[in-house]
Amino acid sequence: MTATMTDTPPPAAPKADTGPQRSGRSAGQILMIVAGALLLVAAVRVITGADQLTSAGQVGAALGLAVPIGLAGLAGLWSERSGVVNIGLEGMMILGTFGAGWVGWQSSPWLGLLCGVGFGVLGGLVHAVATITFGVDHIVSGVAVNLLALGTTQYLAKLFFSEGKAADAGGNPKQSPPADPLGHITVPGLSNGLESLQKHHWFLISDLAGILGGLVTDVSVVTVLAALLFVGSWWLLWRTPFGLRLRSCGENPVAAESLGVNVYRYKYMAVAVSGGLAGLGGAFLALVTSHIYLEGQTGGRGYIGLAAMIFGNWRPGGLAMGAGLFGYSDALQLRNGGVTVHALLLLLVVLLAVLAAWKLYRKAHWQGAISLFVAALVLVWYLLTDEVPSDFVGATPYVVTLLVLSLSAQRLRMPKADGMRYRKGQGK
């Protein structure tokens, strides 16, 4: 049977990693970019007086909001690195919220967390059976998983939470009774010292203190677990033979099979892990963010997680940065959002001006002119107003998603066989 261009790329043997893989920038360049961004944000804070930009409360809220987005993105990364597009992340997160809320209020929240992961794995296996075994289009299967998860959880919530013991404990058809909280971590001494430095509002020093303070004050143990999962995923996928084989399935499954890799097995494992990570993100929402299962509480975070994964170029480091950015923009709604977002308009003006200068330097005159024009419009908006309307503040995370994807689209490189239908023995 001969492979076709629509099914899989031409065979080529996967190559083992010979050293650190670079995505176009060295570690030194990334550190310079981060330092420059920090200096720019600190300058904007001093000029505008919007101290919430780098406060420990803002950073802590951003961290809590970034975790479910990051876990959804990490779930998508596992799946797509094996060659399976996972649009069903939102549905797997919904299953995770229900499983965590259902078991969490009846027993231990830790058992609820495990149940949320298990429900997510079930959703992942449904997607795997449809796409890997039966060859269903990945997008169609993902949408079906989303719809199935939504309908199933709505039905089960009415069945389990609307009467009897659950109703007496505060449940109803749209939410579960509350579960006990999971543990939080605060570094004693360091947290108070950083808070004291932040209150002085010194340039850069107080900004660094606020950012670090948000990372060591009242941090959920699940957040620490999520950070470990990011590091572990990077090591497993890029530094072990297992990861090489799994990624080869997403780059060229025919070549991987010719070298003895059981492509179906690796794809199934990757999609099951993907579902479990998405379920953990949903469990975080149910047990850490709100302590209950609530209908609709995922709020599209599965899709934003996919956007963060794409922004990160299918790599854990870039994904973590994208999730942090989306979490930060989402947290603006909670902490004096109109004034803080208004201050960020000045930051946007500077970034657009730098982008315009870069485009003009690269002889992209039309793009540079458009960037300058938009920068001028945003500057006029900033100068003529004192606060951003609340409706726009609520849309900030989604606007940031669109801007980030549009600006990063030119450097993206997805796995070559991502989303392609594969059949065992296809290359023979």
Side-chain angles (χ1 to χ4, degrees), residues 146-319:
N146 289 336
L147 295 175
L148 181 63
L150 180 61
T152 301
T153 54
Q154 287 177 342
Y155 171 75
L156 292 177
K158 293 177 182 177
L159 187 65
F160 293 129
F161 300 147
S162 60
E163 58 185 25
K165 182 180 177 181
D168 295 337
N172 62 55
K174 294 186 179 296
Q175 71 176 52
S176 69
D180 293 334
L182 291 166
H184 286 74
I185 300 172
T186 296
V187 180
L190 180 60
S191 178
N192 293 334
L194 292 171
E195 183 181 3
S196 177
L197 279 177
Q198 178 196 321
K199 290 180 178 178
H200 289 289
H201 303 305
W202 294 329
F203 175 73
L204 192 59
I205 295 177
S206 293
D207 299 289
L208 280 171
I211 293 171
L212 293 175
L215 299 177
V216 298
T217 304
D218 203 27
V219 178
S220 170
V221 291
V222 186
T223 300
V224 178
L225 174 61
L228 294 175
L229 286 172
F230 267 83
V231 176
S233 294
W234 169 81
W235 178 80
L236 194 60
L237 292 177
W238 272 270
R239 290 295 180 269
T240 67
F242 169 84
L244 175 62
R245 296 186 189 103
L246 188 146
R247 288 186 292 116
S248 71
C249 295
E251 295 291 340
N252 198 318
V254 173
E257 183 187 353
S258 70
L259 296 177
V261 176
N262 189 326
V263 176
Y264 278 16
R265 179 188 300 170
Y266 278 88
K267 284 179 178 287
Y268 261 96
M269 286 190 291
V271 180
V273 171
S274 175
L277 290 169
L280 180 60
F284 183 94
L285 291 171
L287 297 175
V288 178
T289 303
S290 60
H291 306 299
I292 59 172
Y293 157 78
L294 185 66
E295 184 179 313
Q297 69 188 142
T298 55
R301 286 177 176 84
Y303 301 111
I304 299 178
L306 276 177
M309 179 201 67
I310 295 170
F311 166 78
N313 211 6
W314 288 266
R315 297 183 69 90
L319 161 61

Side-chain angles (χ1 to χ4, degrees), residues 69 72-73 90 299-309 322 326-327 330 397-398 401:
I69 294 173
E90 180 77 5
R301 286 177 176 84
Y303 301 111
I304 299 178
L306 276 177
M309 179 201 67
F326 298 139
D330 202 7
Y398 308 103
T401 302

Side-chain angles (χ1 to χ4, degrees), residues 366-383:
W366 275 108
Q367 295 177 355
I370 292 173
S371 297
L372 278 177
F373 177 71
V374 176
L377 290 179
V378 176
L379 180 60
V380 170
W381 184 10
Y382 172 79
L383 294 174

